[in-house]
DNA sequence: AATAATAGTTATACTTTTGTAACCATTTAT
DNA sequence: ATAAATGGTTACAAAAGTATAACTATTATT
């Protein structure tokens, strides 16, 4: 670990600190206007759209949500018929969650609704910047996803109380 | 606006939805452990580190924080002597905020503390991925910053009640 | 000079998220 | 067979963020 890398990491952290409220602005705000779901539900949907099936604990672990909170959010999503519980044949303690057809459609619509404000802004970008944004969000996502998820043993590495 | 671009935007939105809770995980969590400041204070510091002087309203506008909330957060930062109020000589209604020396030092330390968890993870990345992460966070930041800030008239474009 | 508008604060209620502890059902370990 | 560990739920408290309205001080408008 040399100095240059250390400075880079500081800069990355600062970028992320800066980024976070901007994302809240664009996401949190509009979901409340467009749906009766919480931001938390949205994150679960986002996670489920990448991982077909996740147990309650895995959701909590991946999103750093306390387990009781996951229960509540999933309850809401079930009330909207966007996800469903699947009982695990191998271990009857485990409850697996996966998106329904309706969930996927709704999620798509929600994303479009959410993006409406942002879409107008993004549309003003020239093709080149759009490409850059596309690539860089993908890269940030991939790398953060890689390093933030405790891939080897996702559950045991989670706080027991989560 | 062609189809390819539309799909790109959808994908960008999805990346951002995915990204947000990951950032919360890395930021929100550790600041609570390391300081007695809220995440909100952290965002204000991040904004102030980019803009030397901001009025209360500008802070609220840039971070989409309701004005009353800004007051509370800035009060905390002042209690920590990390920022100070400057009275505007041209308009005595305006209160300008800017970081103190102590604030800049503390912010630096906080960033390092925050990054400690993440740093260990980031350090495991090879040089190439680190570079990619560095560049892409920077790009996402720059572009989002550009499109999310209503640059022409930051204040009037804000909700009056903020 | 009177009125309207702006910047910021105070007060209050509410939503969302976080944190604990206790609990049940089921599985694993001894 | 009994005890310990795990996955999930329930219940409750506390923190953080959001939303509104009323208010003061100051500036701009007429």
């Amino acid at each position: 670990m040399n100095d240059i890398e250390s400075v880079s990491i500081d800069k990355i952290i600062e970028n992320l600190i800066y980024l976070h409220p901007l994302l809240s602005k664009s996401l949190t705000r509009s979901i409340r206007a467009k749906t009766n779901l919480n931001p938390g539900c949205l994150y679960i949907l986002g996670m489920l759209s990448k991982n077909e099936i996740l147990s309650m604990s895995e959701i909590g672990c991946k999103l750093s949500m306390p387990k009781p909170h996951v229960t509540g959010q999933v309850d809401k999503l079930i009330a909207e018929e966007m996800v469903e519980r699947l009982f695990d044949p191998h271990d009857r303690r485990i409850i697996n969650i996966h998106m329904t057809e309706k969930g996927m459609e709704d999620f798509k619509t929600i994303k479009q609704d959410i993006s409406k404000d942002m879409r107008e802004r993004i549309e003003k970008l020239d093709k080149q910047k759009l490409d850059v944004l596309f690539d860089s969000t993908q890269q940030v996502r991939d790398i953060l996803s890689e390093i933030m998820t405790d891939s080897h043993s996702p559950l045991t590495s989670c706080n027991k109380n989560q």
Side-chain angles (χ1 to χ4, degrees), chain A:
Chain A
M1 188 68 178
N2 59 41
D3 282 355
I4 296 174
E5 285 173 3
S6 179
V7 169
S8 291
I9 293 181
D10 276 351
K11 189 71 184 158
I12 289 171
I13 300 289
E14 195 168 317
N15 285 336
L16 298 180
I17 289 178
Y18 191 95
L19 220 52
H20 190 260
L22 288 185
L23 293 184
S24 297
K25 184 174 191 165
S26 43
L27 299 181
T28 308
R29 180 121 330 176
S30 40
I31 192 183
R32 227 187 315 263
K34 298 293 184 182
T35 74
N36 41 4
L37 296 176
N38 299 334
C41 292
L42 189 66
Y43 306 143
I44 292 179
L45 291 176
M47 202 52 87
L48 282 173
S49 72
K50 279 295 135 188
N51 308 269
E52 286 233 354
I53 289 182
L54 290 173
S55 72
M56 300 293 282
S57 295
E58 285 170 331
I59 292 173
C61 182
K62 283 182 183 290
L63 293 176
S64 288
M65 268 185 198
K67 278 202 309 189
H69 195 207
V70 176
T71 301
Q73 303 294 75
V74 167
D75 281 349
K76 281 184 190 168
L77 289 170
I78 287 174
E80 300 284 332
E81 293 176 336
M82 294 179 71
V83 305
E84 59 186 354
R85 295 182 213 256
L86 299 178
F87 295 93
D88 191 314
H90 304 311
D91 185 338
R92 292 193 301 176
R93 292 170 301 180
I94 296 174
I95 295 185
N96 291 306
I97 307 298
H98 105 292
M99 268 207 257
T100 60
E101 273 298 326
K102 179 175 184 303
M104 289 190 261
E105 285 170 28
D106 287 0
F107 185 48
K108 195 173 169 187
T109 318
I110 289 174
K111 277 188 293 189
Q112 282 167 359
D113 285 345
I114 285 182
S115 64
K116 217 167 267 167
D117 334 350
M118 189 181 257
R119 190 176 294 267
E120 291 156 20
R121 301 167 187 269
I122 292 182
E123 279 175 5
K124 293 194 191 124
L125 294 174
D126 53 45
K127 178 83 176 66
Q128 193 239 326
K129 277 187 180 174
L130 183 67
D131 288 344
V132 170
L133 187 61
F134 178 80
D135 289 339
S136 44
T137 54
Q138 188 65 54
Q139 281 159 348
V140 175
R141 172 181 178 160
D142 287 344
I143 297 182
L144 279 195
S145 167
E146 174 187 336
I147 62 179
M148 296 312 293
T149 310
D150 308 286
S151 48
H152 8 286
S153 52
L155 291 179
T156 49
S157 68
C158 271
N159 195 320
K160 300 289 176 184
N161 266 337
Q162 274 185 350

